[in-house]
Structures are given as structure tokens and as C-alpha cells.
Amino acid sequence: MKIGILTSGGDCPGLNAVIRGFAKYVFNNIKDAELIGITEGYLGLIEKEARKMQPSDFSGILNVGGTILGTKRTPFKKMTEEDQNGRSRLDLMKKNYKALGLDVLVTLGGAGTHKTAALLSSEGLNVVGIPKTIDNDIWGTDVTFGFHSAVDIATECIDRIHTTAASHGRTMLIELMGNKVGWLTLYAGVAGGADIILIPEIPYNPDTVVKMVKRRLDSGKAFNIIAIAEGAMSKAEAKMKKTERLEYRGGRATGTEMLAKYIEENAEVETRVVVPGHLQRGGAPSPYDRFLSTEMGSFAGELVKRGNFGVTVAMRDNHVTYNKLSDIAGKTKSVPENDQRVAMARAIGIYFGDEA
Ligand code: F6P
């Protein structure tokens, strides 16, 4: 059996651990298995950049960040368009799948990767996905690998900001990744003891944020920690189109700087913005993610062995399982309005900026 494997989209801790878990399962359980590593995601399939991999390639990578296969973002929209030479990218991927003699393609990636995986599956290719992303926004799985490592890193950032915020009596805004959802900020915010958590799913009122900052200062606390998601927006911004929002923010992709300035002027406190950025995606996976990645990778191997294609691995209620690619592609798992974790955070006095 000839199995192609690729990693696509933004990287995250755990990709190598999944690749290793998958390879180990395959070499131990599928007779005559051959693994073909496709480089730089779908671009490698489009360009037929691939190499045969040996069991030794998967040694010593469990705790190594990044991906040994390399990755690229190839937006889904582009998949159905022609490349600069007038060739259909979709046709090239189908042609190269055949030319490489693949029996199945295993794709590790986030939401966009899954959309392309579903497209390839609908075009007749055998595909098995594995859900990766620090954003934790893939539909149908309780958790994605990479998420908890990012939570650990983001939490450590908040911990470190705490001490400097306290020393200076400042209001610190820590802008965390997560794309259009607030999972990472919610988890790291709670774990890091943030006073205010702002996420895209709960648009905030800047005046409410100012009020909450002042309230804490009036109660004798000298500093404030605000965990703000990169996708967070005020109630006014939430009504705007993306381009209008960009203009309103003076060309900035996020509203964090604007909010910091607003708080500084209206609560009369010193503010600072900290953006950990890609630090949240770098370095070794946490032990939790090493385990989860190994479990997901190994289970993907089992799906391949069973010939269960057109699916992606998922974790539900602590059980590793799968979803049909066609059921989850194009959907986003956001923080629900009535999420019990949000309710818990509110109950212990964390503000979300929408309070009356
Ligand atoms: O999807 C993962 C993610 O890290 C998002 O949280 C973030 O918005 C985006 O990727 C950043 O992408 P890039 O690495 O292309 O700058």
C-alpha cells in the first residue's frame, strides 16, 4: 500500500508527533506499506514534490516543533483556479496522486486543509484527515492537536506579564492568536488569571471595558490583565464589513492598539500591548499534545488500514473517532454563546466586556 502524507496551512506543535505516530502504526501494522512524504502541503502535490520515507526518518521527532515535511498556505479558493501557467491545480493534484501511485492521501491541517481534503475526496481520491490547529476551531472534534501547547505558551506569557504589570501598576493587553475564534484566549485567559477576556464571539463595549478597569483600580488593585483575541471586536466593529473595520482601525488588522489607547485616555491608566504572535506556534509540543498527536496519528493509520476513507480523525468525549470530511468541511467551531466555560469565568468575576 502506497500512502502519501502532507502537512498544510500554518504549522503548530505536534505535527511531527502525529507524523511519527502515523508512520509507526503503518510500519508496524500494514504489510508492504510505503510512505511518500509530500513537501510543503498541497503545493507539493500540485508540483509533485515528494520523497519516499524510511522508518528512520521518523526517529527523534516526537518532541520537535514544526514539520519535517514543510508546509505552505494554499488557500482553498486557489484550488479550483488555474495556476500561472493556466493549469488547473485540482487536475494537477489528481494527476500527481495517480502518478505517485498513491492508494491514499493523509492530510494534516486546519479548516482550509480540510476543505481541500473534502474536495479531493469528492473527486474520487482516498483521503484521511487529521485535525491540526492552535485555534481549536475544527468542527466535530472537542480538541485539535497543537491547541494545548499554544495554551501553555500563551499562559506563560500572561504569567510573565502579570509580574511586570503589578510592578508598574499598568493595564496590559495581551493579544493572542486564534483567528476568528476565542478558544485560545479563553483557555489561556482563565489559566493565566486574566481580569478581562475579550473574544470574537462576544463583541465588547469599550466603555464597559473602561468601567471594569476602573472598578478594579477602585477596589485597590493596581493593575489589570486583559487577554484579547486577535479576532476580538467591539460591538460597533462587529457590524462593519472587513474592509470598513480595517479603515476604522487605521489599517491595523486587530483592534487591540485602539482599545489600549481608549482605555488609557478614559480610565487614566498606563497601558501596554503585548503580542506573542508566532511564539504561540513554535517549539516543542506539550506532553498532552505529544500524547494526543500520537493517538490521532496512530488512529489515522488504523483508518487507512481499514480502508475507511473520506474521513478525518476527531476526539469526542475522550474517545478517538472520526467524522466524514463532507460533514465538517467549511464549518467553524466557535465558542458558543452559552458555553459553560464562559459562564464559569463570569461566575468567578472575569469580565467579557459585554456586561450591563
Ligand atoms: O491558524 C493558525 C494561526 O496561527 C492563526 O491563529 C493566525 O491568525 C494565523 O494562523 C497566522 O497565520 P500566518 O502564520 O500565516 O501569519
Side-chain angles (χ1 to χ4, degrees), residues 236-252 258:
E237 287 172 334
K239 293 192 188 116
M240 298 175 191
K241 290 200 187 94
K242 201 174 164 189
T243 46
E244 291 168 345
R245 204 156 46 231
L246 197 66
E247 202 183 328
Y248 177 75
R249 291 170 173 172
R252 286 202 176 91
M258 241 182 119

PDB file of all heavy atoms in Angstrom, residues 236-252 258:
ATOM      1  N   ALA A 236     -19.484  47.879  17.832  1.00  0.00           N
ATOM      2  CA  ALA A 236     -19.580  48.715  16.624  1.00  0.00           C
ATOM      3  C   ALA A 236     -18.823  48.052  15.476  1.00  0.00           C
ATOM      4  O   ALA A 236     -19.325  47.977  14.342  1.00  0.00           O
ATOM      5  CB  ALA A 236     -19.009  50.092  16.910  1.00  0.00           C
ATOM      6  N   GLU A 237     -17.616  47.537  15.768  1.00  0.00           N
ATOM      7  CA  GLU A 237     -16.806  46.904  14.708  1.00  0.00           C
ATOM      8  C   GLU A 237     -17.481  45.636  14.180  1.00  0.00           C
ATOM      9  O   GLU A 237     -17.334  45.297  12.998  1.00  0.00           O
ATOM     10  CB  GLU A 237     -15.426  46.536  15.264  1.00  0.00           C
ATOM     11  CG  GLU A 237     -14.521  47.730  15.495  1.00  0.00           C
ATOM     12  CD  GLU A 237     -13.243  47.359  16.219  1.00  0.00           C
ATOM     13  OE1 GLU A 237     -13.237  46.359  16.969  1.00  0.00           O
ATOM     14  OE2 GLU A 237     -12.246  48.078  16.040  1.00  0.00           O
ATOM     15  N   ALA A 238     -18.202  44.957  15.060  1.00  0.00           N
ATOM     16  CA  ALA A 238     -18.853  43.699  14.662  1.00  0.00           C
ATOM     17  C   ALA A 238     -19.893  43.938  13.563  1.00  0.00           C
ATOM     18  O   ALA A 238     -20.219  43.027  12.799  1.00  0.00           O
ATOM     19  CB  ALA A 238     -19.492  43.035  15.866  1.00  0.00           C
ATOM     20  N   LYS A 239     -20.394  45.172  13.492  1.00  0.00           N
ATOM     21  CA  LYS A 239     -21.413  45.492  12.467  1.00  0.00           C
ATOM     22  C   LYS A 239     -20.773  45.896  11.142  1.00  0.00           C
ATOM     23  O   LYS A 239     -21.465  46.064  10.146  1.00  0.00           O
ATOM     24  CB  LYS A 239     -22.305  46.640  12.973  1.00  0.00           C
ATOM     25  CG  LYS A 239     -23.165  46.241  14.162  1.00  0.00           C
ATOM     26  CD  LYS A 239     -24.231  47.293  14.420  1.00  0.00           C
ATOM     27  CE  LYS A 239     -24.965  46.992  15.712  1.00  0.00           C
ATOM     28  NZ  LYS A 239     -24.773  48.005  16.734  1.00  0.00           N
ATOM     29  N   MET A 240     -19.450  46.072  11.155  1.00  0.00           N
ATOM     30  CA  MET A 240     -18.775  46.556   9.934  1.00  0.00           C
ATOM     31  C   MET A 240     -18.323  45.421   9.036  1.00  0.00           C
ATOM     32  O   MET A 240     -18.097  44.308   9.507  1.00  0.00           O
ATOM     33  CB  MET A 240     -17.512  47.351  10.326  1.00  0.00           C
ATOM     34  CG  MET A 240     -17.793  48.575  11.131  1.00  0.00           C
ATOM     35  SD  MET A 240     -16.214  49.319  11.634  1.00  0.00           S
ATOM     36  CE  MET A 240     -16.795  50.507  12.824  1.00  0.00           C
ATOM     37  N   LYS A 241     -18.151  45.746   7.751  1.00  0.00           N
ATOM     38  CA  LYS A 241     -17.534  44.788   6.824  1.00  0.00           C
ATOM     39  C   LYS A 241     -16.026  44.803   7.115  1.00  0.00           C
ATOM     40  O   LYS A 241     -15.516  45.768   7.690  1.00  0.00           O
ATOM     41  CB  LYS A 241     -17.760  45.241   5.374  1.00  0.00           C
ATOM     42  CG  LYS A 241     -19.190  45.125   4.933  1.00  0.00           C
ATOM     43  CD  LYS A 241     -19.233  45.097   3.401  1.00  0.00           C
ATOM     44  CE  LYS A 241     -20.663  45.164   2.906  1.00  0.00           C
ATOM     45  NZ  LYS A 241     -21.097  46.556   2.594  1.00  0.00           N
ATOM     46  N   LYS A 242     -15.342  43.735   6.681  1.00  0.00           N
ATOM     47  CA  LYS A 242     -13.906  43.602   6.974  1.00  0.00           C
ATOM     48  C   LYS A 242     -13.109  44.846   6.524  1.00  0.00           C
ATOM     49  O   LYS A 242     -12.270  45.363   7.268  1.00  0.00           O
ATOM     50  CB  LYS A 242     -13.375  42.345   6.268  1.00  0.00           C
ATOM     51  CG  LYS A 242     -12.114  41.816   6.857  1.00  0.00           C
ATOM     52  CD  LYS A 242     -11.727  40.505   6.207  1.00  0.00           C
ATOM     53  CE  LYS A 242     -10.292  40.178   6.513  1.00  0.00           C
ATOM     54  NZ  LYS A 242      -9.786  39.050   5.763  1.00  0.00           N
ATOM     55  N   THR A 243     -13.417  45.335   5.334  1.00  0.00           N
ATOM     56  CA  THR A 243     -12.667  46.484   4.803  1.00  0.00           C
ATOM     57  C   THR A 243     -12.951  47.754   5.612  1.00  0.00           C
ATOM     58  O   THR A 243     -12.058  48.554   5.878  1.00  0.00           O
ATOM     59  CB  THR A 243     -13.037  46.745   3.326  1.00  0.00           C
ATOM     60  OG1 THR A 243     -14.467  46.686   3.217  1.00  0.00           O
ATOM     61  CG2 THR A 243     -12.421  45.738   2.397  1.00  0.00           C
ATOM     62  N   GLU A 244     -14.216  47.906   6.027  1.00  0.00           N
ATOM     63  CA  GLU A 244     -14.586  49.090   6.833  1.00  0.00           C
ATOM     64  C   GLU A 244     -13.855  49.044   8.178  1.00  0.00           C
ATOM     65  O   GLU A 244     -13.377  50.053   8.686  1.00  0.00           O
ATOM     66  CB  GLU A 244     -16.095  49.098   7.115  1.00  0.00           C
ATOM     67  CG  GLU A 244     -16.960  49.358   5.904  1.00  0.00           C
ATOM     68  CD  GLU A 244     -18.431  49.072   6.160  1.00  0.00           C
ATOM     69  OE1 GLU A 244     -18.767  48.408   7.172  1.00  0.00           O
ATOM     70  OE2 GLU A 244     -19.236  49.505   5.336  1.00  0.00           O
ATOM     71  N   ARG A 245     -13.785  47.813   8.722  1.00  0.00           N
ATOM     72  CA  ARG A 245     -13.146  47.636  10.036  1.00  0.00           C
ATOM     73  C   ARG A 245     -11.655  47.994   9.955  1.00  0.00           C
ATOM     74  O   ARG A 245     -11.109  48.657  10.831  1.00  0.00           O
ATOM     75  CB  ARG A 245     -13.327  46.179  10.463  1.00  0.00           C
ATOM     76  CG  ARG A 245     -13.259  45.984  11.949  1.00  0.00           C
ATOM     77  CD  ARG A 245     -13.965  44.747  12.417  1.00  0.00           C
ATOM     78  NE  ARG A 245     -13.674  43.570  11.657  1.00  0.00           N
ATOM     79  CZ  ARG A 245     -14.584  42.766  11.141  1.00  0.00           C
ATOM     80  NH1 ARG A 245     -15.869  43.030  11.299  1.00  0.00           N
ATOM     81  NH2 ARG A 245     -14.238  41.704  10.469  1.00  0.00           N
ATOM     82  N   LEU A 246     -11.045  47.581   8.870  1.00  0.00           N
ATOM     83  CA  LEU A 246      -9.624  47.855   8.664  1.00  0.00           C
ATOM     84  C   LEU A 246      -9.384  49.368   8.606  1.00  0.00           C
ATOM     85  O   LEU A 246      -8.455  49.902   9.224  1.00  0.00           O
ATOM     86  CB  LEU A 246      -9.165  47.172   7.365  1.00  0.00           C
ATOM     87  CG  LEU A 246      -7.676  46.995   7.163  1.00  0.00           C
ATOM     88  CD1 LEU A 246      -7.116  46.017   8.206  1.00  0.00           C
ATOM     89  CD2 LEU A 246      -7.383  46.436   5.766  1.00  0.00           C
ATOM     90  N   GLU A 247     -10.256  50.057   7.902  1.00  0.00           N
ATOM     91  CA  GLU A 247     -10.131  51.507   7.768  1.00  0.00           C
ATOM     92  C   GLU A 247     -10.349  52.185   9.121  1.00  0.00           C
ATOM     93  O   GLU A 247      -9.586  53.063   9.533  1.00  0.00           O
ATOM     94  CB  GLU A 247     -11.185  51.985   6.761  1.00  0.00           C
ATOM     95  CG  GLU A 247     -10.823  53.318   6.141  1.00  0.00           C
ATOM     96  CD  GLU A 247     -11.910  53.814   5.206  1.00  0.00           C
ATOM     97  OE1 GLU A 247     -12.583  52.946   4.580  1.00  0.00           O
ATOM     98  OE2 GLU A 247     -12.099  55.025   5.134  1.00  0.00           O
ATOM     99  N   TYR A 248     -11.379  51.717   9.828  1.00  0.00           N
ATOM    100  CA  TYR A 248     -11.724  52.256  11.150  1.00  0.00           C
ATOM    101  C   TYR A 248     -10.551  52.116  12.124  1.00  0.00           C
ATOM    102  O   TYR A 248     -10.323  52.969  12.980  1.00  0.00           O
ATOM    103  CB  TYR A 248     -12.950  51.478  11.652  1.00  0.00           C
ATOM    104  CG  TYR A 248     -13.440  51.823  13.038  1.00  0.00           C
ATOM    105  CD1 TYR A 248     -14.141  53.014  13.276  1.00  0.00           C
ATOM    106  CD2 TYR A 248     -13.229  50.956  14.107  1.00  0.00           C
ATOM    107  CE1 TYR A 248     -14.602  53.324  14.545  1.00  0.00           C
ATOM    108  CE2 TYR A 248     -13.688  51.247  15.378  1.00  0.00           C
ATOM    109  CZ  TYR A 248     -14.379  52.433  15.590  1.00  0.00           C
ATOM    110  OH  TYR A 248     -14.838  52.724  16.842  1.00  0.00           O
ATOM    111  N   ARG A 249      -9.783  51.023  11.953  1.00  0.00           N
ATOM    112  CA  ARG A 249      -8.644  50.770  12.843  1.00  0.00           C
ATOM    113  C   ARG A 249      -7.344  51.384  12.327  1.00  0.00           C
ATOM    114  O   ARG A 249      -6.261  51.051  12.816  1.00  0.00           O
ATOM    115  CB  ARG A 249      -8.436  49.250  12.992  1.00  0.00           C
ATOM    116  CG  ARG A 249      -9.537  48.562  13.764  1.00  0.00           C
ATOM    117  CD  ARG A 249      -9.386  47.066  13.657  1.00  0.00           C
ATOM    118  NE  ARG A 249     -10.314  46.343  14.519  1.00  0.00           N
ATOM    119  CZ  ARG A 249     -10.486  45.037  14.485  1.00  0.00           C
ATOM    120  NH1 ARG A 249      -9.807  44.307  13.631  1.00  0.00           N
ATOM    121  NH2 ARG A 249     -11.341  44.455  15.295  1.00  0.00           N
ATOM    122  N   GLY A 250      -7.481  52.216  11.332  1.00  0.00           N
ATOM    123  CA  GLY A 250      -6.294  52.895  10.783  1.00  0.00           C
ATOM    124  C   GLY A 250      -5.352  51.935  10.098  1.00  0.00           C
ATOM    125  O   GLY A 250      -4.126  52.093  10.168  1.00  0.00           O
ATOM    126  N   GLY A 251      -5.913  50.919   9.466  1.00  0.00           N
ATOM    127  CA  GLY A 251      -5.099  49.972   8.691  1.00  0.00           C
ATOM    128  C   GLY A 251      -4.587  48.800   9.507  1.00  0.00           C
ATOM    129  O   GLY A 251      -3.929  47.911   8.980  1.00  0.00           O
ATOM    130  N   ARG A 252      -4.856  48.794  10.794  1.00  0.00           N
ATOM    131  CA  ARG A 252      -4.376  47.676  11.637  1.00  0.00           C
ATOM    132  C   ARG A 252      -5.335  46.494  11.553  1.00  0.00           C
ATOM    133  O   ARG A 252      -6.557  46.673  11.546  1.00  0.00           O
ATOM    134  CB  ARG A 252      -4.286  48.113  13.099  1.00  0.00           C
ATOM    135  CG  ARG A 252      -3.115  49.034  13.369  1.00  0.00           C
ATOM    136  CD  ARG A 252      -2.773  48.988  14.857  1.00  0.00           C
ATOM    137  NE  ARG A 252      -1.598  49.775  15.148  1.00  0.00           N
ATOM    138  CZ  ARG A 252      -1.636  51.070  15.489  1.00  0.00           C
ATOM    139  NH1 ARG A 252      -2.795  51.673  15.584  1.00  0.00           N
ATOM    140  NH2 ARG A 252      -0.522  51.722  15.733  1.00  0.00           N
ATOM    141  N   MET A 258      -6.034  50.174  19.393  1.00  0.00           N
ATOM    142  CA  MET A 258      -7.083  51.194  19.520  1.00  0.00           C
ATOM    143  C   MET A 258      -7.737  51.134  20.890  1.00  0.00           C
ATOM    144  O   MET A 258      -7.972  52.155  21.538  1.00  0.00           O
ATOM    145  CB  MET A 258      -8.148  50.919  18.455  1.00  0.00           C
ATOM    146  CG  MET A 258      -8.330  52.026  17.472  1.00  0.00           C
ATOM    147  SD  MET A 258      -9.639  51.584  16.344  1.00  0.00           S
ATOM    148  CE  MET A 258     -10.752  52.914  16.683  1.00  0.00           C
TER     149      MET A 258
END
